[in-house]
Amino acid sequence: MSTHILIIEDDPNIAELIRLYLEKDSFDVTIASDGRTGVNAFHSIHPDLILLDIMLPEMDGFEVCREIRKTDKTPIIMLTAKDETVDKITGLELGADDYIAKPFDMKEVIARIHAVLRRYTGESDSDASPKDIKTFHNLVINMSAYEVIISGKKVEMPPKELELLNYLASHPNRVFTRNQLLDDVWGFE
């Protein structure tokens, strides 16, 4: 059964972009364009996770989060242009599980979705599928945990560098042009 994500976002371009990336990652997606519609959609579809904008018509994201938290613990990730510390604290105190400021990188959003879902479902890194973990001598690349371990030590690395390393490790002994890497890792056409 596929994981269902509810996007509550009033900007149709952003909502559509997120939908495309999530569906490419095998998620089922429902979009609501205002807070009230989002709450109604939540009660009718019971999604596995909610991506929630703060500045919404009808009900703002804080009100939506408050309303959902009255009866349910479904994970909520706030996606918003409001990146002031007070807004982040308010969202987290109302029950949001994560907070991502716009503009954002979709690969990071997907990684955070997977991380929140792992915490929510109680999965551990040992639940990662073998295709998510690559081992080469003293190097381990774990894409489900978004981490690299060299000689037993975790190496901090930006998400895009990790994705590039994983891509190259998945295709040993091959040479790529810059354009191939841009297409395959960054998703540019």
Side-chain angles (χ1 to χ4, degrees):
M1 188 168 151
S2 183
T3 302
H4 198 128
I5 297 181
L6 172 61
I7 301 168
I8 307 175
E9 166 65 60
D10 63 331
D11 184 322
N13 294 325
I14 292 173
E16 184 63 16
L17 173 71
I18 296 170
R19 183 189 66 77
L20 290 171
Y21 271 90
L22 293 179
E23 287 179 350
K24 183 179 177 191
D25 206 50
S26 301
F27 290 108
D28 289 331
V29 178
T30 299
I31 297 173
S33 59
D34 65 70
R36 192 164 318 285
T37 304
V39 170
N40 292 336
F42 169 78
H43 289 299
S44 66
I45 64 172
H46 305 288
D48 298 294
L49 184 135
I50 302 164
L51 293 176
L52 176 62
D53 188 15
I54 290 180
M55 296 182 289
L56 294 167
E58 303 292 324
M59 290 173 76
D60 71 23
F62 294 134
E63 291 176 78
V64 171
C65 186
R66 193 176 294 117
E67 184 67 28
I68 290 169
R69 284 293 176 254
K70 285 180 184 176
T71 59
D72 202 283
K73 299 261 187 246
T74 298
I76 297 172
I77 298 175
M78 293 195 156
L79 294 174
T80 181
K82 297 182 88 167
D83 65 349
E84 297 293 321
T85 302
V86 68
D87 295 319
K88 292 177 185 178
I89 291 169
T90 301
L92 294 169
E93 285 179 346
L94 286 173
D97 296 276
D98 203 349
Y99 195 106
I100 303 172
K102 295 175 186 175
F104 47 78
D105 182 287
M106 275 308 303
K107 302 249 178 159
E108 179 184 0
V109 172
I110 290 172
R112 287 179 182 242
I113 287 170
H114 285 291
V116 168
L117 288 172
R118 273 195 311 275
R119 284 193 306 267
Y120 180 72
T121 61
E123 288 181 13
S124 67
D125 293 341
S126 62
D127 297 323
S129 71
K131 72 179 178 89
D132 290 339
I133 300 175
K134 293 175 185 60
T135 305
F136 306 92
H137 305 291
N138 63 346
L139 170 70
V140 177
I141 303 169
N142 184 339
M143 290 306 290
S144 66
Y146 248 63
E147 68 182 11
V148 173
I149 300 171
I150 299 175
S151 300
K153 294 183 181 177
K154 185 176 176 184
V155 176
E156 293 299 321
M157 173 177 296
K160 195 55 70 182
E161 287 180 20
L162 175 64
E163 292 163 16
L164 180 60
L165 177 63
N166 181 62
Y167 184 80
L168 294 171
S170 299
H171 302 88
N173 303 319
R174 285 201 47 204
V175 176
F176 296 96
T177 66
R178 179 182 182 276
N179 286 339
Q180 286 173 312
L181 293 174
L182 286 173
D183 288 344
D184 296 341
V185 178
W186 274 262
F188 296 155
E189 293 181 5

